[in-house]
Amino acid sequence: MSRSPLPGLLISFAVLLAGLLLAFTVGRYPVGLGDLFAVLAAKLSGHASSTPAAVETVIWQVRGPRVIAASLVGAALAVAGTAFQGLFRNPLVSPDILGASSGAALGAVLGIYFSLGVFAIQALAFAGGLAAVAMVYAVGSAVAARDPVLVLVLAGVVIGALLGAGVGLIKYLADPYNQLPAMTFWLLGSLASTNPSDLIPLLGPVMIGTLILLALRWRMNVMSLPDEEARALGVSTGPLRIAIVAAATLVTSASVATAGIIGWVGLVVPHIARTLVGPDFGRLIPAAALMGGGFLLLIDTLARTAAQVEIPLGILTAFVGTPFFIWLLASVSKTWSAP
Amino acid sequence: MTMGLTRRTLLAAPSLLLGTARVRAAAVTDATGRALEIPATVARVFPAGPPAAILLYTLAPELLLGWPRANRAEECAFLLPDICARPEVGRLTGRGNTANLESVIALKPDLILDVGSTAPTFASLAARVQEQTGIPYALLDGRFDATAATYRLLGALTRRDAEPLATYAEATLTTIQGRVNRVPENERPRVYYARGPRGLETGLGGSINVETLEFLGARNVAAEQKGGLATVSVEQVLAWNPAVIVTIDRDFAANVRSDPQWAGVTAVRDGRVHLSPKLPFGWVDFPPSVNRLIGLWWLAKILYPQHFSEDMRELTRDFYWRFYHVKPSDADIDRVHAGRD
């Protein structure tokens, strides 16, 4: 793998750019490219813009925040997926492997069940995601085993199932006329209700987590070697694993808290990024972030434009993700089998 | 002598029982066309879900065994206190049920009452529960325009005079419909029905959630697509630009006026966001039962103020007396109208 990573990164960037342009100019409310530039120019120059107030509202208040949120969530899920796939040396791992999504789901349905406000629901989802992974990690560390990574995955499966049962219980107890539909919509994932104020609690954790992972890129490369070799190179795997899990969980929880449950992005996008730029995490993480942001932007644009009603993101990513994944398995499985 | 008497009694007994049965127990056909054998006395009725509980409460509160969900204090303020305090018994509506069949039997109901869809799925579930428990299970039509017929059927099932309530329902629906029919198409406002804390859940065309809106001939902006509940985006609402927003969510109603995202929507700009009353039960949508009859007046006055001059306080007091058997004070009524808990 000595080829230059530049074309791959450029392609990833192009995907994001295309996604941004398309997302900004397509929507249920007609806003053209010209409107967009007029509004942007007016904002930059400080002059009053000639576009109608509604167009400005759509760009600054509705579509703009949603586009930013979509790219952040896509990037976050892809980066988390990349980190977990590297950590577990397993291509079938996705960001919710350690229960972050199930924990967030339980937090959110509890919030809806107790009729809390939107902010509280998101905060509970975020806290639930972090708590679930902390619980998984505690269980994983409590069990003495020769293969700590395998134990961690098993603990994730078990805790995830338990939290899933909790979600089922709350849905079962919920008021079927009011709360249950709200829970169902949330669990299917959507960015329909993105507010400008959602961006800060999303941006903060995603930036922090991604920067931590970027800072650890060299150590993560070493992690892909067997534990003994990594230790021989002076990398202590225990604390490193905690740092990676914490950073990936932070970004996953923040994105699930904002957008609900969106599968497949964190599983599929890291694979695409890997085929484009190779296995070096220094390039893989930026490529996955760009690609993930672009991918979810395209999906979300489809979700909000295909019909008058929103199509849940989780459903679209599965429809797009599964065939793609099958194709990927058939064509590029060599990337994983031998270096 | 004694022997003869006993023998005569024994001989007479079957015919006596049959005679009683012919006089007292009655076969009533429910809304799905299933013939039910209704016992001689119906004193305990198990409601399968909230619509059934409300319907039964309005006609014969003392028959209600319990509530699908325990009532809250603010709800009990508008219901008969001792009936309102009856226990929580869960839902018995097919797969999503929370009531246990054994505990249903243990409550010894004379009748299980369900109100809602009469589609084959629910008819067969009713038949199955009836077969398993041996308790007659009556499924009544929950569609809004079937309200009067549903009351008459409930009257036959419980041997009560349902005529006053059936007549009220009929009169309300025909009066309102008559006036709405005179409203020209272009005076019927385009309405968006908002649910959820951000107001982005809405009822598509034909959904049970917008039955009251559709009955009033309002142009539901989301009706182009048919179905149940769905999520839409603010952008879509901006594109629809409804003149009136009806919501059941207090948070949304309180925040939408200061939300810059919604500032461009005509209904918000014109101050035409209306929070639906919800005590003791939701007036517009949930649970979908006879509580919507008063909601119909409320909505009609909002949509066509020039055609509905009735005093809402008066209407509310009258409705609460007829259906909920309580006399709220003016202050109580104002509180209900404000949509507060």
Side-chain angles (χ1 to χ4, degrees):
Chain A
M1 285 281 185
S2 55
R3 65 196 160 103
S4 159
L6 200 62
L9 280 174
L10 278 178
I11 291 172
S12 309
F13 186 68
V15 169
L16 179 67
L17 203 64
L20 279 172
L21 267 181
L22 191 72
F24 258 115
T25 50
V26 182
R28 302 304 305 176
Y29 196 94
V31 175
L33 203 56
D35 291 325
L36 178 65
F37 285 128
V39 170
L40 283 177
K43 192 77 170 182
L44 289 175
S45 65
H47 294 303
S49 104
S50 53
T51 44
V55 171
E56 281 192 59
T57 306
V58 168
I59 290 176
W60 293 120
Q61 293 290 334
V62 182
R63 200 180 295 172
R66 181 165 181 173
V67 164
I68 295 169
S71 29
L72 281 173
V73 168
L77 292 172
V79 165
T82 307
F84 277 135
Q85 287 179 3
L87 178 67
F88 294 117
R89 296 176 207 130
N90 186 329
L92 293 172
V93 161
S94 60
D96 45 13
I97 184 79
L98 296 185
S101 300
S102 334
L106 185 58
V109 295
L110 274 172
I112 298 170
Y113 184 70
F114 290 113
S115 304
L116 303 180
V118 181
F119 184 75
I121 292 172
Q122 286 179 354
L124 269 178
F126 184 65
L130 296 183
V133 177
M135 200 151 65
V136 167
Y137 207 90
V139 172
S141 319
V143 179
R146 210 179 311 145
D147 190 347
V149 170
L150 180 66
V151 171
L152 205 55
V153 172
L154 283 176
V157 170
V158 172
I159 300 282
L162 180 68
L163 297 170
V167 169
L169 176 68
I170 301 297
K171 285 178 80 174
Y172 178 70
L173 294 175
D175 160 23
Y177 299 98
N178 211 23
Q179 295 169 333
L180 191 58
M183 290 176 188
T184 309
F185 291 140
W186 195 92
L187 291 175
L188 288 172
S190 171
L191 284 161
S193 61
T194 309
N195 242 12
S197 58
D198 292 332
L199 293 180
I200 292 162
L202 176 63
L203 183 68
V206 170
M207 289 296 280
I208 294 169
T210 307
L211 289 176
I212 292 175
L213 290 174
L214 262 181
L216 295 174
R217 61 191 181 277
W218 180 78
R219 289 183 176 79
M220 286 171 76
N221 285 337
V222 176
M223 276 289 267
S224 60
L225 303 169
D227 263 18
E228 304 81 56
E229 291 183 40
R231 268 194 290 270
L233 285 165
V235 172
S236 49
T237 47
L240 179 59
R241 198 174 292 132
I242 295 183
I244 294 171
V245 166
T249 302
L250 191 67
V251 298
T252 309
S253 300
S255 51
V256 177
T258 311
I261 306 236
I262 303 169
W264 290 98
V265 179
L267 182 59
V268 171
V269 173
H271 286 274
I272 310 175
R274 189 179 291 272
T275 56
L276 284 173
V277 299
D280 174 8
F281 282 94
R283 308 159 191 169
L284 193 51
I285 291 171
L290 294 169
M291 192 67 107
F295 178 71
L296 198 63
L297 267 175
L298 294 172
I299 292 281
D300 185 54
T301 306
L302 188 62
R304 62 191 170 83
T305 51
Q308 286 189 334
V309 301
E310 293 277 324
I311 304 172
L313 288 176
I315 289 175
L316 277 182
T317 53
F319 276 140
V320 176
T322 22
F324 190 84
F325 194 71
I326 292 168
W327 173 77
L328 211 64
L329 273 184
S331 58
V332 295
S333 52
K334 301 132 208 153
T335 329
W336 274 95
S337 44
Chain B
M1 189 69 194
T2 331
M3 186 96 164
L5 189 70
T6 314
R7 269 182 64 195
R8 267 207 343 250
T9 317
L10 278 174
L11 284 169
S15 62
L16 202 77
L17 277 174
L18 282 174
T20 324
R22 213 173 298 128
V23 175
R24 295 251 190 85
V28 178
T29 309
D30 81 350
T32 65
R34 292 163 47 248
L36 303 174
E37 198 67 31
I38 303 300
T41 46
V42 173
R44 298 166 67 80
V45 179
F46 185 95
I54 297 173
L55 184 79
L56 183 68
Y57 172 89
T58 57
L59 181 67
E62 68 283 1
L63 302 187
L64 191 62
L65 267 179
W67 297 86
R69 165 185 73 72
N71 292 303
R72 296 194 299 267
E74 61 267 27
E75 292 162 341
C76 283
F78 296 93
L79 297 168
L80 295 169
D82 54 323
I83 309 288
C84 191
R86 290 198 175 168
E88 175 168 329
V89 293
R91 294 192 305 271
L92 189 64
T93 44
R95 216 174 93 34
N97 58 3
T98 55
N100 174 295
L101 271 191
E102 284 182 30
S103 54
V104 172
I105 297 169
L107 286 167
K108 298 193 180 65
D110 303 312
L111 176 71
I112 297 171
L113 181 72
D114 196 358
V115 179
S117 166
T118 53
T121 312
F122 299 98
S124 62
L125 281 167
R128 187 181 288 193
V129 171
Q130 175 172 314
E131 204 174 303
Q132 256 180 301
T133 58
I135 302 163
Y137 189 123
L139 179 51
L140 273 50
D141 193 343
R143 276 178 306 131
F144 199 38
D145 48 13
T147 304
T150 293
Y151 262 120
R152 294 198 172 102
L153 185 50
L154 181 66
L157 287 165
T158 57
R159 298 190 180 80
R160 297 298 172 105
D161 180 17
E163 209 43 45
L165 296 183
T167 314
Y168 177 96
E170 233 158 29
T172 300
L173 296 184
T174 47
T175 306
I176 292 179
Q177 185 129 63
R179 285 192 227 170
V180 167
N181 286 344
R182 289 201 298 274
V183 179
E185 192 66 29
N186 59 0
E187 282 176 33
R188 298 183 181 188
R190 301 175 69 252
V191 184
Y192 172 71
Y193 174 51
R195 295 166 54 110
R198 282 193 172 167
L200 292 174
E201 281 167 39
T202 194
L204 302 176
S207 90
I208 196 167
N209 313 95
V210 291
E211 256 189 326
T212 37
L213 272 172
E214 288 186 346
F215 184 86
L216 289 170
R219 293 182 289 166
N220 175 13
V221 291
E224 203 173 289
Q225 230 159 310
K226 304 286 169 218
L229 287 176
T231 303
V232 297
S233 61
V234 182
E235 210 175 304
Q236 179 63 61
V237 180
L238 279 164
W240 279 329
N241 199 21
V244 175
I245 294 176
V246 175
T247 182
I248 58 169
D249 195 282
R250 204 177 38 169
D251 283 344
F252 171 71
N255 298 330
V256 70
R257 281 174 199 90
S258 56
D259 188 337
Q261 283 194 319
W262 289 75
V265 179
T266 303
V268 176
R269 230 176 15 231
D270 296 352
R272 298 208 64 190
V273 178
H274 301 278
L275 174 61
S276 135
K278 56 164 173 281
L279 286 174
F281 308 109
W283 281 23
V284 171
D285 169 0
F286 78 104
S289 188
V290 291
N291 40 310
R292 293 177 298 171
L293 282 171
I294 184 66
L296 208 57
W297 283 110
W298 177 78
L299 254 182
K301 281 181 77 76
I302 285 171
L303 298 177
Y304 317 111
Q306 67 279 23
H307 296 274
F308 291 88
S309 54
E310 279 84 355
D311 176 23
M312 204 55 222
R313 266 194 196 163
E314 209 50 58
L315 284 171
T316 307
R317 191 178 298 115
D318 177 53
F319 181 85
Y320 276 41
W321 176 240
R322 286 168 189 267
F323 287 77
Y324 299 146
H325 322 292
V326 293
K327 280 184 177 151
S329 69
D330 281 358
D332 288 338
I333 291 175
D334 292 345
R335 197 159 55 86
V336 171
H337 288 170
R340 285 198 296 265
D341 279 344

